[in-house]
């Protein structure tokens, strides 16, 4: 270890130092006492560190999975509950650590900028961001076979113009005409099937709102008016001028990673995992979750804990083969002439040797020449 | 128009579905069409469903017409006198069977008093919602539902009299109770079913109290005096069979005492107790792994030379032994022939099972427990009348589980014991607590069932009063003597050289994946290595090719089949790993071990 890192590793993290300073000020300690306090804290801090060769990975895994087994027993008791279904409990925890591309119930928490932080603006925004498709704004839709056209009856006549624009803007080779409460979309076709396809296409067109936002509810949280959404689209939400881009948050790890970067994704993993545990009144130390989230994100991409992620990235062939897809790993290793150096824990358990962890990490080295 | 489906197949349409369904029902009740047919008009689906197939769950209910039940007093009298029977009631349309579909079209009253003009049926009795096992539970409606469920499950595990002809049966394994009782607190099911010939437990005097903490966590303190008098005694009978098989080439097994010199001969002592026909005599006491039936068989796989060798070296000992861990006394012995004409011998071995520490007992209310302490009767608490409980049950078992039925049963049992009359407590129509208390008071006891008690060891009076009464207890088929197991050294499997699995094979207790993780988490590397050393072996590895070398015993030299007399290194590894290397080779993967010497 270099002298510099040796020095810093014995020092306290800035946050803890700040706390010490506050205490010193409040208790009006003199310099000698303050020094004494600092020494004592340093000692305690050093004591709470992990020892070399301690298997923190396994301890972290056990510390998370033990309360998780408690969850299995509780989670399914909520079967058949009506209302907004949110994935929580064990299924959500699995989702987080498996790094699923899309959460089962994607959600955003949208915060308002200070000048828009009021009920009115929030309600307006909530209404505006809900995704609306043509299906949601029409009364009737029918196919007119005589004129080769699709006829729409609009619920709110004032919106006719905008809907017409959307249709003509998104579908090619059609003529759009508005007549009283009707919009007639006609097309030159040879087959009726194409009209049917056109109808489907029109119905699926987005009229207003943000893509992917299925619902939005305004809620007051302390001083803040926030909007909870079902469905998530972080990049579009952040580009709205009333939205506070510093606080707005989505529960989708991958979306956060693409929009805000890997550090943000790491915080989402930590936040979501901890929240899921705390919802069930289970308490786990943050450090275990920190470790897991670090492992999941340190490569720069979000990788899952499992066969295609962290476990699949192990260096040892035997350890990978022992986990999942045994044959795949063995055959691949054989073709590529790979070498297993037997330096990991699992390989050594397998061959019946002392594992390089805990007391097995160290060897006694005697240098008889230097005894004098 | 409403579609009609018969057994799920579309059959036609009708414009008057209600009338049609009513018509079918009328015909069914009058006996014009079979009584197994059910019909349901499903309004919201616009369907009439007629079901005639097998496998539907159906239940009987009494028909009500215009607010009057069809099973009249008159008919009930006839039924009681035996003039008519159940079939008659079904055939004449007084009782009918409903399936789940038809049930949707009915309005079923629970009691006669609930019947209005709208009702179509009335339940035979509210307690018919319970199944066979659950209907053996007294006061079930005073318990939480899950406890009734557990209780019903445990009734099925109880040791009783499983068949009245048990003395002429030869089941592989069976248990039966020696001195069973009829419960003091019963339900209607005990009268309806032939329970008298299949009792399954004992009435015990139970005190709800603590006993120096020996009955914490659902364990039970039991009176040694009661056990000596036969409380909850049972026999376990296991049958062993040996066949005198015939093989190709005219050879056959011989049942008898094996001669010395036969392969696998266990020594003279092992066959001492066999009679000259090779079968242990009835009433012989047998220990674990002892020979029950002596037998020798010809060697199964004859090598080229073996074929010409006759005599003792070619005969194997294949005696039948008592299961590992079992004891017993040879009971009945059957000597008979199989359908193939070979000789078949069955020996039944009985073992007396007196309740001991670790045996599982349960009441009928899902309150199970394990015997934790057997107390001499003089040390048990006693009342001023000198009553000593058989069982002391921990009061902590009551509040969280809320088995009030258990408390009522104890109260009822006390009344029954004092008055000499059974207490009937079927679901939803049991005698009231008030009556029980009144009867207790009349018998000269406190009406709350509490007793002033004294400590048997000191004679001092307990400060608190103790709730005591009589309850029905079952002994469940989870006896420690059938489960207890330990091993230090012992047999290993041929393939992996690891310890065998299971009690009957004197197996080891597996230190599994998760336990392994715990050792790693503690950093106990050397303890972990020691645990997993069961199949440790030294394998010679050729340092050239990295494959397993062989030992030439004649020259006492290690050679590699590929590189000949190359440098060969002894490597210590688990045998399972060597096995894996072999398996890799079999799938054409070359696992080269790179070795170096220290």
């Amino acid at each position: 270890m270099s002298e510099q890192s040796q020095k810093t590793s014995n020092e306290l993290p800035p946050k803890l130092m700040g706390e010490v300073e506050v205490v010193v000020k409040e208790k009006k300690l003199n310099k000698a006492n303050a020094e004494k306090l600092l020494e004592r804290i340093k000692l305690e801090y050093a004591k709470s560190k992990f020892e070399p060769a301690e298997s923190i990975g396994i301890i972290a895994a056990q510390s998370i999975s033990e309360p998780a087994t408690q969850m299995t027993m509780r989670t399914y008791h909520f079967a058949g509950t009506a209302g907004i279904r949110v994935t929580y409990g064990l299924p959500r925890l699995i989702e987080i650590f498996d790094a699923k591309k899309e959460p089962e119930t994607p959600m955003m928490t949208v915060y308002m900028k200070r000048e828009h932080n009021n009920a009115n603006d929030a309600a307006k925004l909530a209404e505006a961001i809900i995704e609306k498709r043509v299906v949601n704004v029409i009364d009737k839709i029918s196919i007119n076979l005589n004129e080769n056209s699709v006829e729409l009856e609009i619920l709110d006549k004032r919106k006719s113009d905008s809907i017409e624009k959307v249709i003509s803007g998104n579908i090619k080779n059609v003529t759009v005409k508005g007549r009283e409460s009707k919009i007639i979309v006609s097309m030159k076709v040879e087959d009726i099937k194409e009209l049917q396809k056109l109808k489907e296409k029109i119905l699926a067109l987005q009229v207003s709102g943000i893509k992917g936002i299925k619902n939005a509810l305004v809620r007051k949280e302390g001083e803040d008016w926030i909007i909870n959404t079902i469905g998530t689209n972080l990049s579009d939400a952040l580009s709205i001028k009333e939205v506070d881009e510093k606080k707005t948050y989505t529960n989708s790890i991958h979306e956060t990673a693409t929009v805000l970067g890997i550090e943000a994704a790491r915080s989402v993993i930590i936040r979501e995992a901890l929240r899921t545990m705390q919802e069930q009144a289970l308490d786990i130390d943050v450090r275990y979750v920190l470790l897991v989230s670090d492992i999941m994100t340190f490569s720069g991409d979000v990788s899952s804990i499992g066969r295609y992620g962290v476990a699949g990235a192990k260096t040892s062939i035997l350890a990978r083969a022992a986990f999942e897809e045994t044959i795949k790993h063995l055959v691949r290793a054989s073709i590529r002439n790979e070498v297993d150096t037997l330096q990991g824990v699992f390989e050594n358990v397998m061959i019946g040797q002392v594992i390089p962890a805990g007391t097995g990490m160290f060897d006694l080295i005697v240098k008889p020449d230097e005894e004098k | 128009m409403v579609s009609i489906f018969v057994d799920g197949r579309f059959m036609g349409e009708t414009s008057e579905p209600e009338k049609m369904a009513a018509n079918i029902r009328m015909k069914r009740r009058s006996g014009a069409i079979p009584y197994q047919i059910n019909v349901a008009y499903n309004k919201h689906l616009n369907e009439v469903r007629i079901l005639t197939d097998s496998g539907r769950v159906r239940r009987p209910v009494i028909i009500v017409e215009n607010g009057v039940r069809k099973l009249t007093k008159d008919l009930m009298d006839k039924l009681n006198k035996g003039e008519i029977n159940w079939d008659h009631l079904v055939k004449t349309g007084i009782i009918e069977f409903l399936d789940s579909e038809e049930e949707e079209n009915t309005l079923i009253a629970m009691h006669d008093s609930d019947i209005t003009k709208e009702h179509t049926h009335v339940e035979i009795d509210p307690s018919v919602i319970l199944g066979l096992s659950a209907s053996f539970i007294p006061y079930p409606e005073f318990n939480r539902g899950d406890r009734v469920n557990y209780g019903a499950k445990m009734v099925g595990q109880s040791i009783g009299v499983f068949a009245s002809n048990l003395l002429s049966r030869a089941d592989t394994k069976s248990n039966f109770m020696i001195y069973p009782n009829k419960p003091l607190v019963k339900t209607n099911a005990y009268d309806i079913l032939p329970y008298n010939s299949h009792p399954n437990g004992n009435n015990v005097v139970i005190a709800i109290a603590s006993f120096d903490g020996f009955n914490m966590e659902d364990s039970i303190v039991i009176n040694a005096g009661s056990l000596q008098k036969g409380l909850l005694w049972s026999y376990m009978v296991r049958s062993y069979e040996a066949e005198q098989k015939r093989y190709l080439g005219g050879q056959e097994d011989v049942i008898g005492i094996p001669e010395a010199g036969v392969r696998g001969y266990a020594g003279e002592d092992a066959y001492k107790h066999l009679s000259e026909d090779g079968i242990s005599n009835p009433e012989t006491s047998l220990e674990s792994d002892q020979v029950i039936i002596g037998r020798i068989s010809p060697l199964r796989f004859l090598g080229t030379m073996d074929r010409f060798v006759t005599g003792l070296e070619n005969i194997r000992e294949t005696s039948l032994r008592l299961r590992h861990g079992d004891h017993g006394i040879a009971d009945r012995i059957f000597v008979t022939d199989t359908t193939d004409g070979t000789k078949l011998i069955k020996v039944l071995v009985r073992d007396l099972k007196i309740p001991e520490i670790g045996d599982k007992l349960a009441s009928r209310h899902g309150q199970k427990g394990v015997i934790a302490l057997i107390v001499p009767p003089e040390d048990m608490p006693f009342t001023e009348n000198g009553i000593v409980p058989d069982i002391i049950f921990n009061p902590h078992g009551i509040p969280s589980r809320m088995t009030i039925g258990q408390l009522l049963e104890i109260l009822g049992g006390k009344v029954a014991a004092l008055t000499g009359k059974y207490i009937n407590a079927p679901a939803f129509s049991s005698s009231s607590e008030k009556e029980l208390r009144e009867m207790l008071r009349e018998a000269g006891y406190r009406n709350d069932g509490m007793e002033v008690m004294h400590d048997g060891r000191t004679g001092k009076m307990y400060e608190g009063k103790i709730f005591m009464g009589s309850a029905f207890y079952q002994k469940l088929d989870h006896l420690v003597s059938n489960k207890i197991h330990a091993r230090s050294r012992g047999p290993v499997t041929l393939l992996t050289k690891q310890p065998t699995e299971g009690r009957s094979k004197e197996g080891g207790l597996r230190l599994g994946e998760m336990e392994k993780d715990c050792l790693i988490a503690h950093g106990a590397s050397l303890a972990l290595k020691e645990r997993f050393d069961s199949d440790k072996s030294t394998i010679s590895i050729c340092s050239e090719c990295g494959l397993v070398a062989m030992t030439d015993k004649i020259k006492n030299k290690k050679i590699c089949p590929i590189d000949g007399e190359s440098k060969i290194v002894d490597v210590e590894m688990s045998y399972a790993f060597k096995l894996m290397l072999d398996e890799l080779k079999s799938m054409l993967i070359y696992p080269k071990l790179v070795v170096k010497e220290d």
Side-chain angles (χ1 to χ4, degrees):
Chain A
M1 239 184 278
S2 72
E3 216 165 286
Q4 180 59 35
S5 60
Q6 189 108 45
K7 204 175 166 191
T8 43
S9 73
N10 286 331
E11 261 165 34
L12 300 176
K15 200 181 165 193
L16 206 56
M17 283 298 284
E19 278 176 41
V20 174
E21 272 163 35
V22 171
V23 172
V24 170
K25 228 176 240 172
E26 248 172 45
K27 299 267 172 186
K28 290 176 185 141
L29 297 178
N30 59 28
K31 208 171 178 192
N33 277 340
E35 202 64 33
K36 231 177 172 177
L37 175 73
L38 203 62
E39 280 309 307
R40 190 62 208 270
I41 287 168
K42 272 183 186 169
L43 189 73
E44 290 296 321
Y45 186 74
K47 267 196 210 165
S48 66
K49 279 182 180 172
F50 270 104
E51 305 273 340
E54 198 156 357
S55 310
I56 48 168
I58 279 185
I59 296 173
Q62 288 181 340
S63 305
I64 294 168
S65 53
E66 190 275 334
T69 52
Q70 301 271 310
M71 267 201 241
T72 1
M73 288 179 267
R74 289 183 211 166
T75 313
Y76 297 107
H77 285 280
F78 301 100
T81 333
I84 304 175
R85 269 201 344 109
V86 185
T87 332
Y88 54 99
L90 194 67
R92 176 64 184 147
L93 203 66
I94 292 170
E95 200 173 88
I96 295 165
F97 292 136
D98 279 352
K100 274 181 82 176
K101 275 264 142 24
E102 278 259 306
E104 208 145 285
T105 43
M107 284 186 313
M108 270 198 306
T109 313
V110 180
Y111 285 83
M112 309 293 288
K113 274 201 183 118
R114 196 179 299 152
E115 58 269 33
H116 299 287
N117 197 358
N118 56 57
N120 221 356
D121 281 9
K124 244 188 225 165
L125 184 67
E127 183 56 32
I129 61 174
I130 297 174
E131 179 185 13
K132 289 220 174 67
R133 291 169 188 276
V134 176
V135 187
N136 308 119
V137 294
I138 57 159
D139 187 24
K140 263 185 201 162
I141 187 161
S142 54
I143 296 174
N144 190 332
L145 292 176
N146 288 333
E147 301 187 9
N148 280 342
S149 65
V150 177
E151 297 179 8
L152 301 141
E153 275 181 50
I154 309 297
L155 277 173
D156 188 349
K157 279 167 207 163
R158 286 168 296 175
K159 286 186 180 161
S160 281
D161 286 347
S162 63
I163 295 167
E164 273 174 44
K165 255 182 216 160
V166 170
I167 296 172
S168 54
N170 284 290
I171 301 174
K172 283 171 196 163
N173 305 330
V174 288
T175 44
V176 183
K177 268 183 264 171
R179 206 178 289 160
E180 289 159 34
S181 66
K182 276 188 182 171
I183 296 176
I184 298 166
V185 186
S186 43
M187 189 184 183
K188 276 182 192 161
V189 288
E190 282 145 23
D191 197 353
I192 326 161
K193 272 184 196 164
E194 283 179 52
L195 276 180
Q196 180 65 30
K197 270 186 197 160
L198 178 69
K199 182 183 145 190
E200 300 287 319
K201 239 184 192 171
I202 293 169
L203 287 177
L205 282 177
Q206 188 188 333
V207 183
S208 65
I210 297 179
K211 203 180 164 200
I213 307 295
K214 292 198 188 68
N215 203 353
L217 295 168
V218 179
R219 201 159 55 84
K220 196 174 184 192
E221 200 182 74
E223 287 297 295
D224 292 329
W225 288 91
I226 57 172
I227 303 167
N228 285 332
T229 68
I230 297 173
T232 152
N233 190 336
L234 195 60
S235 58
D236 285 7
L238 293 184
S239 55
I240 299 171
K241 68 173 194 312
E242 291 100 327
V243 168
D244 184 348
E245 67 280 352
K246 281 176 188 153
K247 286 161 118 184
T248 296
Y249 168 78
T250 170
N251 69 352
S252 167
I253 297 161
H254 283 276
E255 194 178 17
T256 311
T258 42
V259 178
L260 297 174
I262 195 71
E263 288 284 347
R266 175 180 167 273
S267 344
V268 172
I269 294 173
I270 298 165
R271 189 164 155 179
E272 287 290 312
L274 278 179
R275 195 178 53 86
T276 309
M277 300 300 282
Q278 273 152 11
E279 266 170 9
Q280 307 266 322
L282 297 169
D283 192 39
I284 52 172
D285 199 295
V286 212
R287 290 165 190 81
Y288 298 125
V289 183
L290 287 179
L291 183 70
V292 173
S293 59
D294 282 345
I295 298 254
M296 285 175 73
T297 52
F298 84 101
S299 69
D301 294 315
V302 180
S303 56
S304 63
I305 304 284
R307 153 158 58 134
Y308 298 112
V310 178
K314 284 184 186 172
T315 40
S316 165
I317 305 145
L318 290 177
R320 262 182 285 133
F323 179 58
E324 267 167 19
E325 298 182 308
T326 312
I327 295 166
K328 186 180 115 183
H329 289 294
L330 290 176
V331 169
R332 190 176 290 172
S334 134
I335 291 168
R336 294 180 186 170
N337 191 18
E338 283 182 53
V339 177
D340 194 319
T341 48
L342 302 177
Q343 280 167 336
V345 171
F346 293 97
E347 304 91 278
N348 282 292
V349 170
M350 246 170 141
I351 61 172
Q353 301 292 329
V354 175
I355 54 163
T359 49
M361 190 80 158
F362 312 100
D363 269 328
L364 189 62
I365 299 171
V366 183
K367 290 182 180 166
D369 312 346
E370 294 170 17
E371 239 172 78
K372 298 158 222 166
Chain B
M1 290 302 265
V2 176
S3 322
I4 302 167
F5 290 88
V6 178
D7 290 341
R9 214 167 291 144
F10 179 73
M11 279 292 166
E13 287 184 324
T14 175
S15 53
E16 295 170 312
E18 258 146 36
K19 201 174 158 193
M20 182 194 160
N23 216 344
I24 291 173
R25 278 174 202 146
M26 199 196 74
K27 286 218 162 102
R28 179 182 63 199
R29 288 171 190 179
S30 66
I33 54 174
Y35 76 99
Q36 284 109 332
I37 287 171
N38 284 103
V39 60
Y41 168 45
N42 219 326
K43 223 174 211 166
H44 69 282
L45 290 176
N46 247 348
E47 281 174 11
V48 173
R49 290 180 178 179
I50 302 169
L51 294 162
T52 68
D53 53 348
S54 59
R56 287 168 294 139
V57 181
R58 298 157 77 243
R59 66 191 198 91
V61 279
I62 301 166
I63 299 165
V64 170
E65 263 172 14
N66 302 319
V68 183
R69 67 186 241 143
K70 288 187 88 180
L71 185 63
T72 54
K73 271 233 165 68
D74 194 34
L75 282 167
M76 284 294 284
D77 286 343
K78 277 187 181 171
L79 204 60
N80 283 331
K81 278 181 211 154
E83 285 168 28
I84 53 170
N85 61 11
W86 177 268
D87 283 347
H88 177 84
L89 294 178
V90 175
K91 269 183 200 145
T92 51
I94 287 155
I95 283 174
E96 69 181 352
F97 285 87
L98 297 179
D99 71 352
S100 56
E101 294 273 353
E102 185 165 345
E103 226 174 21
E104 297 293 328
N105 286 176
T106 60
L107 182 64
I108 306 173
M110 195 55 86
H111 298 278
D112 286 354
S113 52
D114 299 338
I115 298 175
T116 65
K117 279 258 190 284
E118 282 85 51
H119 281 96
T120 59
H121 297 85
V122 62
E123 295 283 357
I124 294 170
D125 187 86
S127 69
V128 296
I129 61 160
L130 297 177
L132 176 80
S133 306
S135 53
F136 281 128
I137 301 170
Y139 299 108
E141 73 273 32
F142 293 92
N143 289 333
R144 222 169 55 196
D146 59 337
R147 290 287 144 192
V148 178
N149 206 142
Y150 298 147
K153 230 175 180 169
M154 280 186 280
V155 166
Q157 298 175 19
S158 63
I159 294 174
V161 179
F162 66 96
S164 350
N165 64 341
L166 56 90
L167 289 177
S168 42
R169 294 168 63 110
D171 304 66
T172 318
K173 188 199 159 190
S174 62
N175 284 287
F176 64 91
M177 184 163 265
I178 305 174
Y179 308 110
N181 293 153
K182 235 169 118 173
L184 293 177
V185 181
K186 60 184 188 68
T187 67
N188 290 333
Y190 289 83
D191 301 326
I192 296 163
L193 299 160
Y195 183 80
N196 279 344
S197 50
H198 300 278
N200 69 330
N202 280 143
N203 291 301
V204 298
V205 176
I206 181 171
I208 298 188
S210 136
F211 190 84
D212 282 2
F214 276 101
N215 58 359
M216 59 183 175
E217 293 287 333
D218 279 335
S219 58
I220 290 167
V221 170
I222 197 161
N223 187 336
S226 317
L227 294 184
Q228 283 157 13
K229 288 165 199 155
L231 185 80
L232 297 168
W233 282 22
S234 66
Y235 274 124
M236 185 185 82
V237 182
R238 211 187 267 282
S239 86
Y240 292 84
E241 46 177 270
E243 208 180 318
Q244 193 166 9
K245 274 200 194 104
R246 292 211 182 94
Y247 300 96
L248 291 171
Q251 289 178 300
E252 63 175 352
D253 292 344
V254 180
I255 289 176
I257 300 172
E259 267 176 82
V262 162
R263 282 191 194 186
Y265 187 71
E268 214 175 307
D269 276 0
Y271 312 102
K272 227 170 35 188
H273 60 283
L274 298 181
S275 74
E276 56 271 40
D277 62 357
I279 308 166
S280 7
N281 280 317
E283 302 305 314
T284 321
S285 174
L286 296 163
E287 286 303 312
S288 171
D289 298 314
Q290 220 173 350
V291 175
I292 307 170
I293 302 166
R295 182 175 58 183
I296 48 174
S297 312
L299 270 188
R300 239 180 304 168
F301 306 105
L302 287 178
T304 39
M305 287 308 289
D306 291 341
R307 200 169 306 178
F308 306 103
V309 187
T310 43
L312 290 179
E313 305 89 74
N314 236 341
I315 295 174
R316 202 160 40 105
E317 198 252 25
T318 52
S319 296
L320 195 69
R321 286 153 211 272
L322 202 71
R323 281 172 69 112
H324 179 77
D326 266 16
H327 310 269
I329 293 165
D331 195 77
R332 284 162 286 146
I333 292 162
F334 301 90
V335 180
T336 169
D337 289 332
T338 63
T339 43
D340 302 334
T342 56
K343 197 175 169 191
L344 177 77
I345 293 154
K346 276 193 180 181
V347 177
L348 292 165
V349 179
R350 103 181 101 82
D351 188 13
L352 179 63
K353 303 281 189 188
I354 300 170
E356 58 177 318
I357 289 174
D359 279 357
K360 188 177 177 185
L361 310 183
S363 78
R364 288 173 292 178
H365 305 268
Q367 291 278 20
K368 57 172 181 247
V370 167
I371 299 175
L373 185 70
I374 298 171
V375 182
E378 60 271 22
D379 289 347
M380 289 289 275
F382 57 90
T383 69
E384 51 180 347
N385 293 341
I387 301 171
V388 180
D390 298 310
I391 276 175
I392 304 177
F393 178 89
N394 196 312
H396 291 296
I398 302 287
S400 59
R401 305 194 232 271
M402 299 188 273
T403 53
I404 307 307
Q406 164 104 344
L407 302 180
L408 287 170
E409 189 201 331
I410 294 171
L411 211 61
K414 194 169 187 173
V415 171
L418 291 169
T419 57
K421 283 179 193 134
Y422 290 108
I423 299 290
N424 197 29
F428 309 113
S429 43
S430 49
S431 44
S432 73
E433 185 192 342
K434 210 173 165 189
E435 277 170 50
L436 293 177
R437 279 171 177 260
E438 185 56 32
M439 284 158 89
L440 258 184
R441 203 184 51 76
E442 274 168 26
Y445 280 78
R446 282 176 64 97
N447 76 354
D448 58 1
M450 303 283 237
E451 300 274 352
V452 175
M453 291 191 96
H454 299 260
D455 189 329
R457 293 160 298 186
T458 61
K460 275 187 189 154
M461 194 177 90
Y462 285 118
E463 265 179 50
K465 288 177 207 60
I466 291 169
F467 183 65
M468 198 165 96
S470 189
F472 189 68
Y473 257 76
Q474 298 152 321
K475 181 175 165 186
L476 306 186
D477 187 12
H478 297 282
L479 309 174
V480 258
S481 55
N482 292 331
K483 295 189 170 178
I484 192 166
H485 175 53
R487 140 172 183 157
S488 55
R489 288 169 296 162
V492 291
T493 47
L494 196 67
L495 181 71
T496 60
K497 295 195 180 176
Q498 285 173 3
T500 50
E501 189 192 331
R503 189 177 103 108
S504 58
K505 280 173 268 174
E506 211 194 329
L509 295 169
R510 188 183 166 78
L511 187 105
E513 202 88 333
M514 293 174 98
E515 291 76 15
K516 176 206 74 180
D517 288 347
C518 286
L519 287 181
I520 296 173
H522 278 93
S525 314
L526 297 162
L528 180 72
K529 181 172 184 291
E530 197 175 295
R531 283 277 88 191
F532 282 159
D533 262 357
S534 63
D535 62 342
K536 182 174 77 176
S537 48
T538 308
I539 310 281
S540 308
I541 303 287
C542 168
S543 56
E544 290 287 322
C545 59
L547 294 176
V548 178
M550 61 185 207
T551 309
D552 189 331
K553 287 265 180 181
I554 302 166
K555 289 181 189 162
N556 198 20
K557 233 182 194 176
K558 285 171 184 158
I559 47 167
C560 172
I562 299 167
D563 298 304
E565 292 188 16
S566 60
K567 197 174 180 197
I568 285 158
V569 183
D570 279 346
V571 180
E572 195 176 88
M573 62 172 88
S574 70
Y575 190 78
F577 185 69
K578 189 245 165 191
L579 197 69
M580 192 187 83
L581 297 180
D582 292 343
E583 283 179 5
L584 288 180
K585 277 175 247 170
S586 78
M587 54 190 279
L588 300 183
I589 293 174
Y590 172 18
K592 181 175 179 176
L593 297 184
V594 183
V595 288
K596 62 172 187 225
E597 252 177 318
D598 290 320

